[in-house]
Amino acid sequence: MALPEWDGELTSVRHDPDTGAWFVIGVHSTRLGPASGGTRAMVYDGVADAVADARRLAGAMTSKMAAAGLPMGGGKSVIALPAPRAELDDATWHRILHRHAANLNLLGGNYTTGPDVGTSAADMDVLATLTPHVFGRSAAAGGPGSSAPMTALGVFAAIEVGVAEAGLDGVEGLRVLVQGLGAVGADVARLAARAGGKLIVTDVDPARCTAAADELGAEVIDTGDVLSRACDVLVPCATGGLLSPATAATVPCTVIAGAANNLLTDDAAAEVLRRRGITYAPDFVANAGGAIHLVGREVLGWDAAEVTARTRAVGDTLAGIFADARAHDISTVAAAGRAAARTLADGPRPTSTAGAQR
Ligand code: NAI
Ligand code: PHE
């Protein structure tokens, strides 16, 4: 069997026999600064899957930090749970957080975590009692609070710029299909509804669909119909891997802009979208608002207004990427990758604001 390849710096893999959980931390790059990226806690098919996910997600964080101009590297934690999070009792979850904190401490500040799928600001509060290497504590615990609202704001900026790039006249009246109505997706749905979009939604949790139907008048569709339902803007806000070269060849939409990390199974899917004339906002550019919020507030000392302005500027970054892709007949992912690679090649830049790292 061929050995896997990875261009990252370090992978830490540990097991806790008491809970059955496996802990993977991928540090992809510290070229621009200490690595950072959230903690994803979910059930995996096996340890190899968890390792592969952590490494790929860590790589995406390197690109995200570079594309957003943040002075951080890319990393990610994956906790492969013994059972779905909702089925774990409090004592087990607490022990898992304690083990995770011990692993973070072993890395000695080369990697700082934050929230991601399966973890929240409340979990960051617990971790922060055990390790200093945590972003995203709740406001009550002295942190900047959830990264989700800024992620949603950045995704909405990406939708607006994507719509303009596709030659459409604003979001009003467009069919906007949101997959995943969690912390980010529910907020993006609200922003799109406020802009006059006709909402179509889906989530594995029926209660979240009902809430969106009641609040926003959204039409609810089955989760299995997300790739076959015609829409103008597809907004993936669940987990990654939705678009492969095969599904990209048939997905019936004009613009794709969402929050889900690693939305494409591989870069070939981006090329398929380009050839079909679908405007794709690369995930690691569109979803940078959360990173801007956490790093801006906790490392760079930005206030909320500065974070909001920098998050809205995700739209400007994307407009530049779209223009480069058009000019060179390359996919938007290739254009975004080139921009991130240039930033990485240049190396760390002096930051304009005094650091406030804990
Ligand atoms: P979340 O866990 O709050 O929400 C995810 C939602 O997707 C849940 O409602 C879940 O039920 C739903 N879902 C899962 N599988 C689904 C499926 N097959 N079909 C339909 N719905 C499904 O997570 P959050 O924080 O909203 O993040 C969403 C995505 O955005 C993730 O991929 C995350 O990595 C990414 N992201 C999140 C950021 C943040 O600040 N929270 C920042 C950048 C990226
Ligand atoms: N997990 C989120 C992301 O993928 C938020 C986050 C950003 C967490 C940076 C930690 C550090 O962007």
Side-chain angles (χ1 to χ4, degrees):
M1 192 179 68
L3 294 172
E5 287 184 12
W6 191 53
D7 61 350
E9 294 177 10
L10 177 148
T11 310
S12 143
V13 183
R14 301 196 78 196
H15 179 52
D16 175 28
D18 286 353
T19 58
W22 281 86
F23 303 80
V24 185
I25 300 177
V27 174
H28 178 258
S29 169
T30 53
R31 168 94 178 132
L32 298 179
S36 186
T39 296
R40 180 166 292 198
M42 55 187 253
V43 173
Y44 283 86
D45 282 342
V47 180
D49 277 2
V51 170
D53 204 27
R55 288 175 165 175
R56 196 151 179 257
L57 289 163
M61 290 308 299
T62 298
S63 303
K64 186 180 311 192
M65 297 298 186
L70 295 169
M72 301 294 289
K76 201 89 175 187
S77 305
V78 156
I79 304 178
L81 298 174
R85 169 82 174 81
E87 292 172 22
L88 298 178
D89 59 47
D90 283 352
T92 303
W93 179 242
H94 251 78
R95 180 169 167 90
I96 286 172
L97 289 178
H98 275 245
R99 289 304 299 247
H100 186 36
N103 294 335
L104 292 168
N105 281 330
L106 282 177
L107 295 180
N110 287 310
Y111 165 74
T112 300
T113 199
D116 197 73
V117 174
T119 59
S120 62
D123 298 319
M124 298 307 116
D125 292 350
V126 176
L127 287 176
T129 64
L130 305 160
T131 172
H133 311 304
V134 182
F135 293 147
R137 287 161 298 141
S138 67
S146 170
S147 54
M150 281 302 124
T151 304
L153 189 69
V155 168
F156 188 67
I159 291 172
E160 287 184 306
V161 172
V163 162
E165 176 69 16
L168 298 168
D169 192 16
V171 173
E172 187 166 6
L174 296 185
R175 296 159 300 170
V176 179
L177 197 173
V178 181
Q179 182 206 33
L181 296 164
V184 178
D187 262 14
V188 180
R190 281 187 199 101
L191 292 168
R194 208 177 294 157
K198 289 188 217 147
L199 266 290
I200 306 165
V201 298
T202 185
D203 196 294
V204 287
D205 181 345
R208 293 186 170 180
C209 294
T210 307
D214 290 350
E215 184 189 335
L216 308 172
E219 178 193 349
V220 177
I221 63 167
D222 287 342
T223 52
D225 292 341
V226 72
L227 288 169
S228 56
R229 175 60 192 261
C231 63
D232 299 298
V233 187
L234 177 61
V235 187
C237 294
T239 46
L242 183 68
L243 292 169
S244 64
T247 57
T250 56
V251 61
C253 64
T254 307
V255 175
I256 302 174
N261 278 307
N262 290 349
L263 180 67
L264 309 183
T265 55
D266 56 72
D267 292 354
E271 185 52 27
V272 174
L273 294 174
R274 183 187 77 81
R275 278 195 250 111
R276 290 187 61 215
I278 294 176
T279 302
Y280 172 59
D283 47 11
F284 64 81
V285 182
N287 71 16
I292 294 168
H293 170 73
L294 297 175
V295 177
R297 295 298 295 270
E298 301 204 58
V299 179
L300 300 169
W302 293 344
D303 63 13
E306 179 80 22
V307 166
T308 301
R310 303 264 185 167
T311 299
R312 287 193 205 283
V314 160
D316 303 330
T317 305
L318 261 178
I321 286 164
F322 288 150
D324 188 41
R326 233 184 300 118
H328 296 96
D329 255 340
I330 55 176
S331 76
T332 54
V333 169
R338 286 193 339 180
R342 275 194 300 271
T343 304
L344 284 160
D346 289 347
R349 281 180 299 180
T351 49
S352 54
T353 321
Q357 184 142 32
R358 288 175 300 129

